[in-house]
Amino acid sequence: MSADSVETLGEDLPLLEGIRTNRAIRRLKPDAVPIELIRKVCEAGTFAPSGGNRQPWQFVAVTDRERRAHIATLYRETFKAYIAPAIAAARDPDYPEAKRRNMKAAIYLAEHLHEAPVHLFVAGWTRRGQPQSQALFPAIQNVLLACRAVGLGASLTTAHRAHGEAIDRFLGLDPVRTPSIALIPIGWPKGRFGTPTRRSIDTCFFEDAVPEGALS
Ligand SMILES: Cc1cc2nc3c(=O)[nH]c(=O)nc-3n(C[C@H](O)[C@H](O)[C@H](O)COP(=O)(O)O)c2cc1C
């Protein structure tokens, strides 16, 4: 992929269409992704708002195969514990199909994480000793949308946090001053982008005030 095509890729996708068709893409091809393209989607992250415009973000893109394998092993360990209750609940035949699909996709990602060609970590400076997750999530969402625009599959994960300290040190981050908040596995999608399952706006939009009983 030439520098020119990296520059033009994704520039023509209408914003609202990108937002409406940006589901979690967890099935990724192992093919390499140009690092310039990853830099481009991270640059989209840098246009996010942040408290006091402090811009606390750092982006660490891990592409080395062995390093990804190590991260995937740690991720799997914590993910297994996290997903166990959902697996147990899904034995119920009445378990909702949409939830079952989502769970299967998350399990697939955990099992194949080492194959994702890019493990993008988003980290940020802490403020008064606290991670500034609220300042990083707008940037993370921008990255996810930019991936959608350029045709890269991506999903937001946080399960690595249970091994956060070890992973941060492995990435050259200081777990106290600049902890990683999210791991975004990125690659060319195996499937297609599509409209995610979401509850209707009719159930969550109100003018002036919430009518009594509307949220019960
Ligand atoms: C704060 C946060 C943490 C998440 N952590 C994980 C995770 O660790 N692993 C994972 O597979 N998905 C994770 N997700 C992704 C959600 O499961 C996903 O966005 C949701 O199921 C909707 O998927 P869809 O866009 O395909 O409908 C996380 C999402 C958010 C917002």
Side-chain angles (χ1 to χ4, degrees):
M1 185 173 281
S2 70
D4 270 3
S5 46
V6 167
E7 210 168 288
T8 54
L9 196 62
E11 300 293 330
D12 53 351
L13 180 71
L15 181 59
L16 290 177
E17 184 190 333
I19 288 173
R20 282 193 291 257
T21 57
N22 199 24
R23 62 185 184 83
I25 303 281
R26 296 184 175 105
R27 292 180 166 84
L28 303 168
K29 295 180 184 168
D31 314 21
V33 175
I35 196 72
E36 296 76 18
L37 198 53
I38 299 300
R39 196 170 181 275
K40 173 170 173 150
V41 298
C42 291
E43 188 186 32
T46 68
F47 286 98
S50 60
N53 199 19
R54 278 184 287 272
Q55 307 172 53
W57 39 71
Q58 281 94 31
F59 303 93
V60 184
V62 180
T63 58
D64 177 80
R65 182 187 297 269
E66 281 178 23
R67 294 178 71 76
R68 284 184 285 130
H70 178 61
I71 291 162
T73 302
L74 294 179
Y75 179 95
R76 261 191 295 278
E77 253 180 59
T78 55
F79 180 79
K80 261 189 202 162
Y82 166 80
I83 203 75
I87 292 176
R91 289 197 193 102
D92 182 339
D94 292 335
Y95 193 74
E97 198 43 44
K99 276 177 113 176
R100 197 185 298 275
R101 272 201 309 274
N102 187 59
M103 186 185 74
K104 277 189 181 166
I107 292 171
Y108 177 95
L109 175 68
E111 286 172 353
H112 294 261
L113 184 58
H114 57 288
E115 292 167 16
V118 181
H119 292 181
L120 179 66
F121 287 87
V122 183
W125 280 301
T126 46
R127 186 162 152 78
R128 301 189 185 112
Q130 295 300 315
Q132 294 190 76
S133 307
Q134 74 275 23
L136 296 181
F137 278 109
I140 289 165
Q141 179 67 4
N142 273 8
V143 171
L144 293 170
L145 286 171
C147 285
R148 168 69 189 92
V150 302
L152 285 170
S155 58
L156 164 56
T157 81
T158 50
H160 78 285
R161 286 303 310 150
H163 279 302
E165 198 172 321
I167 289 184
D168 290 345
R169 290 195 198 289
F170 183 67
L171 297 173
L173 292 165
D174 181 329
V176 176
R177 292 183 56 240
T178 53
S180 63
I181 298 298
L183 158 57
I184 307 176
I186 301 178
W188 300 111
K190 280 188 174 167
R192 291 185 182 175
F193 294 101
T195 309
T197 313
R198 296 291 186 265
R199 60 193 179 96
S200 160
I201 181 65
D202 296 341
T203 67
C204 52
F205 176 77
F206 308 98
E207 188 175 4
D208 293 331
V210 180
E212 208 179 315
L215 300 182
S216 54

